């Protein structure tokens, strides 16, 4: 058995197609040839040189980046069998689970159904003598697994830890994508095991990892295949294997945030002028200047130890800048100061003589105390990497640094003098706050965490069996809690567009430069954008591809009224400032619709189900009482329900396009609940996610719209559904 990897979309999707050849007969199959421009030349060269006899296309699942090239491969090489899941493009044979077919005379291929990423996912286990390989598509990656687009954690657990784990340990793994470097980063955040570190070293030195690791290796370094490992269970906070799988996937799926972690002057490797005055006020000024230099006006903060008073001082200066606070043993209350502060308090009341400074230096600024801060109170001191406290102490031993630390220790008293003002800020802002606390910290003790709830009743407080540097011992737990907290609270302060971070939006190209942002701002002042100013409604719903209803996309409509009978909407993928314009929709009244030719009418969709089901919503603007907005929204739904919509999307973001590709696609909408569930398996999950982000309850909206009369729908509307029924031979 000869296996040739064909990389596709390198640097983007990082896909693999695989050419598998039975060497005695030269019979070959091509697995997932999704990008014909990269695959066809390889196949043509091999065929022309007489090295292979291409007999079939094999697909692992129906997604376009795996099965989307089938038809072009057929055009190039004539009639071939297409073996794959039931939904794969132009499929001619779907093998049953466990069914075996031959490639040439020696290769035995067994189909293993692994539904989850898609319901038609199939892995192929190939044997040729003592050679064994499994082609896993998007079910199993090196150190990872696919997203649960059409399935759930139970299905993925079965796929990985029952079906694939049962294969011989020496079976080489050939996944559909090269994701190892990013996967291993996630694995390391969950577990610092030696097999994972070994994989990290390999990935750092090798661009391609397909076929380099076996099922046996995956059982050691893939956290998704170690759901019974106590370390993994601790990281997820779950013990049931399916629950662990679900938690791991949720952690991996989490929203990506831009993290900026500057060193304070006197710490790390920040260069500081010789005349710098080491006070907390000075640290705050430097931090504020740093934020201004990067044009950062809104952010969430993770605070720890000295970071807490700096952040709270900053909050007094810029009360609207901080959107959320995560405090890991970052104190703001007198009751949070433990007995370990006793020598420091004595230092505060001293004359600051050389003797006074030598006394506190001897007590606190030594290696044993540095190490103790890291290890004391930690459930497993061996989990703390020794280099952390060795490096910490080495930096403190630099000439002059101990004097810097003494100056800051003495100045800390001025933070306590500001505690009342900090508390006032908490009470007035009610900023979302998570206090995640090493309960065994002898400097900042648990009452300091609990005190936050006195001023912020909705503050979340969680204690860990850890010490001062809890993030060193409980990294994965804290990381998961932070992401969960930010996800829950990202809209809590405001829904204004400018408060969304300018994150990667999936579009090709470099981030927008400051120069262009300035130009845009200036243009907004002097130019008049009259057509855009006419936008009067923001609607959120979902569209489906008329030629493939299994694909559904969230659509944010920004609509204006052209006449009483015609509306037009710009459709974006999100309400963020850097949202991608993905399509347009026109809405017309029944009066206009009746004037259209029959074939034209079939291109328009109805809005009855969108409105009555609560799927179509108008997100509540900031500052508007929900009860008031509900009336306005319901009134708008009365106007929308009789309208017919014609929609085209020209940017297929659901398949990962970084620029608009191909011809525009006619879109439609669901006409009933059953059709939504039957045609687009991911719809329910997408809807649930949307409702959570916009804080809406679809069922409540459906109930409030029960009184809205259902209009008589023209029989030609939603004509694309009739076309789909014909394709599927449905009556």
């Amino acid at each position: 058995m000869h296996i040739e990897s064909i990389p596709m979309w390198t640097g983007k999707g990082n896909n693999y197609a695989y050419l598998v050849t039975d060497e005695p007969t030269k019979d070959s199959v091509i697995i997932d040839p999704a990008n014909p421009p990269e695959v066809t030349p390889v196949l043509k060269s091999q065929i022309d040189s007489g090295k292979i006899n291409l007999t079939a296309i094999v697909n692992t699942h129906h997604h376009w980046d795996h099965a989307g090239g089938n038809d072009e491969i057929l055009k190039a090489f004539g009639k071939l069998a297409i073996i794959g899941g039931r939904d794969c493009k132009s499929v001619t044979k779907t093998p049953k689970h466990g069914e075996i077919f031959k490639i040439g005379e020696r290769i035995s291929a067994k189909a293993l159904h692994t539904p989850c990423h898609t319901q038609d996912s199939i892995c192929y286990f190939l044997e040729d003598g003592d050679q064994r390989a499994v082609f896993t598509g998007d079910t199993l990656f090196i150190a990872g697994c696919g997203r649960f687009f059409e399935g759930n954690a139970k299905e993925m657990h079965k796929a990985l830890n029952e079906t694939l784990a049962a294969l011989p340990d020496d079976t080489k793994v050939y996944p559909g994508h090269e994701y190892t470097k990013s996967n291993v980063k996630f694995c390391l955040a969950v577990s610092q095991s030696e097999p994972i570190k070994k994989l990290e070293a390999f990935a750092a030195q090798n661009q391609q990892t397909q076929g380099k690791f076996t099922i046996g290796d995956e059982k050691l370094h893939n956290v998704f295949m170690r759901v019974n490992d106590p370390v993994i269970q601790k990281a997820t906070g779950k013990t049931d294997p399916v629950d662990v799988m679900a938690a791991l996937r949720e952690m991996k799926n989490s929203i990506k945030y831009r993290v900026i972690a500057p060193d304070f002057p006197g710490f790390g490797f920040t260069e500081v002028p010789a005349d710098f005055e080491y006070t907390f006020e000075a640290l705050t000024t430097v931090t504020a200047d740093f934020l201004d230099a990067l044009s950062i006006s809104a952010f969430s903060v993770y605070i720890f130890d000295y970071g807490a008073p700096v952040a709270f001082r900053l909050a007094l200066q810029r009360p609207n800048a901080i959107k959320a606070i995560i405090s890991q043993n970052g104190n703001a209350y007198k009751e949070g100061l433990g007995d370990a502060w006793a020598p420091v308090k004595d230092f505060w009341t001293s004359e600051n003589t050389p003797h006074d400074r030598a006394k506190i230096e001897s007590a606190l600024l030594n290696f044993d105390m540095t190490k103790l801060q890291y290890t004391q109170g930690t459930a497993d001191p061996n989990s703390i990497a020794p280099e952390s406290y060795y490096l910490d102490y080495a930096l403190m031993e630099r000439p002059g640094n101990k004097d810097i630390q003494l100056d800051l220790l003495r100045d800390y008293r001025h933070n306590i003098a500001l505690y009342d003002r900090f508390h006032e800020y908490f009470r007035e802002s009610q900023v979302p706050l998570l206090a995640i606390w090493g309960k065994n910290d002898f400097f900042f003790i648990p009452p300091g965490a609990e005190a936050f709830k006195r001023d912020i009743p909705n503050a979340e407080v969680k204690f860990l069996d850890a010490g001062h540097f809890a993030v060193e011992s409980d990294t994965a737990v804290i990381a998961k809690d932070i992401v969960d907290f930010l996800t829950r609270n990202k809209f809590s302060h405001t829904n204004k567009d400018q408060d969304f971070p300018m994150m990667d939006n999936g579009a090709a190209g470099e981030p927008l430069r400051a120069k262009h942002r300035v130009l845009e701002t200036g243009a907004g002042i002097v130019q008049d954008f009259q057509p855009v100013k006419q936008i009067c409604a923001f609607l959120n719903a979902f569209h489906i591809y008329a030629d493939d209803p299994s694909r559904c996309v969230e659509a944010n409509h920004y609509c204006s009224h052209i006449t009483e009978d015609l509306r037009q909407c710009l459709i974006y993928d999100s309400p963020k400032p850097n949202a991608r314009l993905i399509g347009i929709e026109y809405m017309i009244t029944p009066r206009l619709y009746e004037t259209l030719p029959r074939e034209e009418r079939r291109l328009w969709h109805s809005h009855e189900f969108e409105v009555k089901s609560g799927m179509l919503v108008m997100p509540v603007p900031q500052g508007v009482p929900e009860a008031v907005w509900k009336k306005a929204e319901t009134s708008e739904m009365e106007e929308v329900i009789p309208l017919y919509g014609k929609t085209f999307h020209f940017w297929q973001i659901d398949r990962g396009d970084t620029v608009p590709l191909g011809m525009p696609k006619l879109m439609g909408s669901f006409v009933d609940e059953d059709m939504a569930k039957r045609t687009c398996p991911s719809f329910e999950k997408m809807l649930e996610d949307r409702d959570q982000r916009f804080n809406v309850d679809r069922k409540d909206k459906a109930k409030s719209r029960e009184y809205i009369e259902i209009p008589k729908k023209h029989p030609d509307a939603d004509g694309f559904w009739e076309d789909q029924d014909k394709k599927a031979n449905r009556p």
Side-chain angles (χ1 to χ4, degrees), residues 238-276:
K238 308 291 183 182
T239 55
D240 178 80
V242 173
D243 291 341
V244 174
M245 176 67 72
L248 286 170
R249 188 66 256 180
E250 185 180 345
M251 290 164 65
K252 188 84 161 58
N253 291 347
S254 296
I255 295 172
K256 295 179 180 178
Y257 294 90
R258 184 182 181 191
V259 178
I260 300 175
D263 289 323
F264 287 145
F267 297 85
F269 299 98
T270 298
E271 296 181 3
V272 184
D275 60 349
F276 186 82

Side-chain angles (χ1 to χ4, degrees), residues 145-160:
C145 72
R147 290 177 181 264
F148 307 169
F149 283 134
E150 298 179 10
N152 53 48
K154 184 177 181 180
E155 289 177 315
M156 185 59 79
H157 174 58
K158 181 178 180 180
L160 298 185

